[in-house]
Amino acid sequence: MNLFYAIVAEDVPGSLDKRLAARPDHLARLNQLKDAGHLLLAGPFPAIDSPDPGPAGFTGSLIVAAFASLEEALAWAAADPYVAAGVYAQVSVKPFKKVLP
């Protein structure tokens, strides 16, 4: 049985160029989760109060997806292209209980 896990990542300061370079690979992995029916939601945290923060960039990301175990979610998060590219300063993975809607 798959359970949901929240993957919350914080960017290093000034990560926008690294983020943009790694974005295609990052999105490809998210689309694999989506196509498998495991992705609940995913998106970045804009650095300013705007859907398009421009050069201000982003401060991190949130992914909520189903995995077989916490260990599987941790391994998936550790293999994210943003981790390899040095975008993320910190990543936490926690079990998530969807209540609504």
Side-chain angles (χ1 to χ4, degrees), residues 9-67:
E10 294 182 33
D11 285 18
V12 298
S15 65
L16 186 58
D17 288 341
K18 292 177 183 179
R19 180 181 270 273
L20 292 174
R23 189 169 190 262
D25 292 337
H26 173 77
L27 290 179
R29 290 183 81 234
L30 289 172
N31 278 312
Q32 289 173 348
L33 281 178
K34 182 184 79 156
D35 293 345
H38 296 290
L39 184 63
L40 183 61
L41 63 90
F45 301 120
I48 60 174
D49 190 14
S50 172
D52 182 5
F58 301 90
T59 62
S61 302
L62 170 65
I63 299 164
V64 180
F67 294 94

Side-chain angles (χ1 to χ4, degrees), residues 9 62 89 91 99:
L62 170 65
V91 178
V99 175

Side-chain angles (χ1 to χ4, degrees), residues 25-26 29 72-85 88 91:
D25 292 337
H26 173 77
R29 290 183 81 234
E72 185 179 308
L74 286 164
W76 189 92
D80 192 297
Y82 282 175
V83 171
Y88 292 153
V91 178

